[in-house]
Amino acid sequence: MPRYALLILPAFNRVYGESAVRLTLAELAFFGRRALETEVSDLGESVIGGLPYVTFETAAPLGAGDVALLSNLSSVYALYGIEGELLRPLTVSPLDRLSSDLITIQKYAGKTNEHFTKLLLNVTVLASERRLDERLSVFDPLCGRGTTLNQALMYGYDAYGADVDSKDFEAYTGFLKTWLKNKRFKHTAEIVPVRRERALVGRRLNVSFSRSKEEFKAGDTQRVSVVNADTLRSREFFKPRSFDVVVTDAPYGVQHGSRGGGGLSRSPLELIRKAVPVWAELLRPGGALGISWNTYGGTRDDLAAILTEAGLDVVDLPDFEHWVDQAIVRDIMVARKP
């Protein structure tokens, strides 16, 4: 049987790097279950030349489509076919259409690891009835300073978000506008007030951009729309069935509390319980909702019950639970909208 090796991308975050191989094994298993044309088996960890690899076998040689899919694994650096004691490099072709500094240049306390953000987006899309290489609409209802939004843009998706924190909204607005200007992308960007019955209910960033004037004229544009408002009011800013996937990293209740309509709370489940029915309305049929959360703030059964009560079907996933620090053990859950 053909055998392959994935070289793991070095992680700047030491703690996440220690979990990268195990998380890649789980992610690869889910790719095999949901997307690859050939069956994968005998997944394992190997050290080759002193470097960490994930190795696996396939029922048939990887075709171009499967190589292209595996190019988007969150921690993959290179892909090789194993031939005896030699590694034959395969040409990877990730979906990324923008430069990686869109993801990496922002540095701030509490930023979600970029590799994990990509993993969460990958798993959520694959759990839906969509394909990774489609033009999708992604909504992060707790978007902070936009790590998930930027990863969606990397894939060529349209990105939408909401966050109640004015400082985060302003920081992301400033960053994205500066980044687009520095890249000399053709774009429009504006911040507009949003009013309901003459009352100000939030602010909205609207961005449309293309990598070139030619693409812009041809209508080949990507969109970003972020509202500075409580996520529980998302339905006031976005229409039902607007998004293919909803992806969010819930507050961990450590550095900051979560807002759930009644002040600050250390448990993210209080916010999620109120918000999931709102988010579910915004999903298109066949779409999926992916959430990462601190398991110290609630169990898998607690979160699964919330998603099920909102009419979503919880998807069976491999084990993605991993240690972040002494106060955070992070896991993910995904549910599909019938």
Side-chain angles (χ1 to χ4, degrees):
M1 298 177 71
R3 191 160 181 79
Y4 298 91
L6 291 163
L7 178 61
I8 299 300
L9 184 70
F12 292 109
N13 183 298
R14 177 189 58 80
V15 173
Y16 189 83
E18 293 174 352
S19 301
V21 170
R22 186 174 61 80
L23 291 174
T24 301
L25 285 166
E27 187 182 11
L28 174 59
F30 198 66
F31 267 68
R33 187 194 309 173
R34 296 289 303 175
L36 299 181
E37 294 181 4
T38 188
E39 181 182 352
V40 296
S41 61
D42 195 24
L43 282 66
E45 176 183 356
S46 299
V47 176
I48 304 174
L51 298 175
Y53 287 79
V54 163
T55 55
F56 61 99
E57 292 182 351
T58 58
L62 290 175
D66 282 349
V67 171
L69 276 170
L70 293 176
S71 301
N72 298 292
L73 286 166
S74 60
S75 291
V76 68
Y77 192 52
L79 174 61
Y80 299 92
I82 300 176
E83 299 180 357
E85 296 182 354
L86 302 178
L87 298 179
R88 177 173 57 86
L90 301 179
T91 302
V92 294
S93 53
L95 288 172
D96 295 348
R97 55 182 272 148
L98 304 171
S99 59
S100 62
D101 60 347
L102 175 62
I103 297 290
T104 60
I105 197 170
Q106 285 182 295
K107 305 294 182 184
Y108 52 89
K111 180 182 180 182
T112 305
N113 181 277
E114 299 97 345
H115 298 179
F116 177 76
T117 297
K118 188 174 183 179
L119 183 152
L120 178 59
L121 179 60
N122 284 345
V123 171
T124 305
V125 172
L126 293 181
S128 74
E129 296 178 4
R130 312 294 189 260
R131 298 193 318 273
L132 206 61
D133 60 355
E134 289 186 72
R135 178 69 176 269
L136 304 178
S137 295
V138 176
F139 177 53
D140 183 349
L142 301 165
C143 66
R145 298 193 185 186
T147 305
T148 300
L149 306 183
N150 291 341
Q151 179 57 57
L153 295 177
M154 291 288 289
Y155 276 180
Y157 303 160
D158 292 327
Y160 301 83
D163 202 279
V164 72
D165 192 306
S166 296
K167 291 183 178 179
D168 283 349
F169 175 82
E170 291 162 4
Y172 183 65
T173 296
F175 165 75
L176 185 60
K177 291 169 70 174
T178 300
W179 187 86
L180 291 168
K181 181 179 179 180
N182 290 341
K183 295 297 179 182
R184 298 185 178 180
F185 284 176
K186 180 68 175 177
H187 68 279
T188 61
E190 62 174 356
I191 298 176
V192 297
V194 181
R195 300 181 184 278
R196 297 287 184 271
E197 298 179 354
R198 298 183 180 181
L200 181 68
V201 295
R203 295 178 294 168
R204 188 169 196 150
L205 168 68
N206 292 318
V207 175
S208 179
F209 74 92
S210 299
R211 295 172 297 179
S212 67
K213 292 181 180 179
E214 291 73 22
E215 287 184 354
F216 197 83
K217 289 180 180 179
D220 181 10
T221 61
Q222 288 181 254
R223 292 192 60 196
V224 182
S225 183
V226 181
V227 293
N228 177 205
D230 192 324
T231 190
L232 299 181
R233 305 185 70 172
S234 297
R235 181 64 180 78
E236 299 179 28
F237 302 94
F238 303 103
K239 296 179 180 178
R241 300 176 295 281
S242 291
F243 307 119
D244 297 295
V245 293
V246 174
V247 181
T248 197
D249 187 27
Y252 297 149
V254 178
Q255 291 188 348
H256 51 78
S258 8
R259 296 187 183 277
L264 290 174
S265 166
R266 292 187 62 83
S267 172
L269 289 188
E270 294 181 26
L271 170 65
I272 292 172
R273 184 174 289 107
K274 297 176 181 178
V276 162
V278 178
W279 302 342
E281 278 193 70
L282 301 177
L283 266 178
R284 292 170 179 149
L289 166 61
I291 301 176
S292 64
W293 87 105
N294 181 8
T295 60
Y296 288 149
T299 68
R300 291 190 64 82
D301 288 345
D302 292 335
L303 183 54
I306 292 171
L307 296 170
T308 301
E309 289 170 6
L312 304 175
D313 298 328
V314 175
V315 177
D316 181 33
L317 298 179
D319 180 13
F320 288 108
E321 184 177 285
H322 59 287
W323 190 86
V324 177
D325 63 32
Q326 61 182 0
I328 301 172
V329 174
R330 184 166 55 193
D331 202 354
I332 69 175
M333 185 172 289
V334 178
R336 188 184 305 115
K337 185 173 183 176

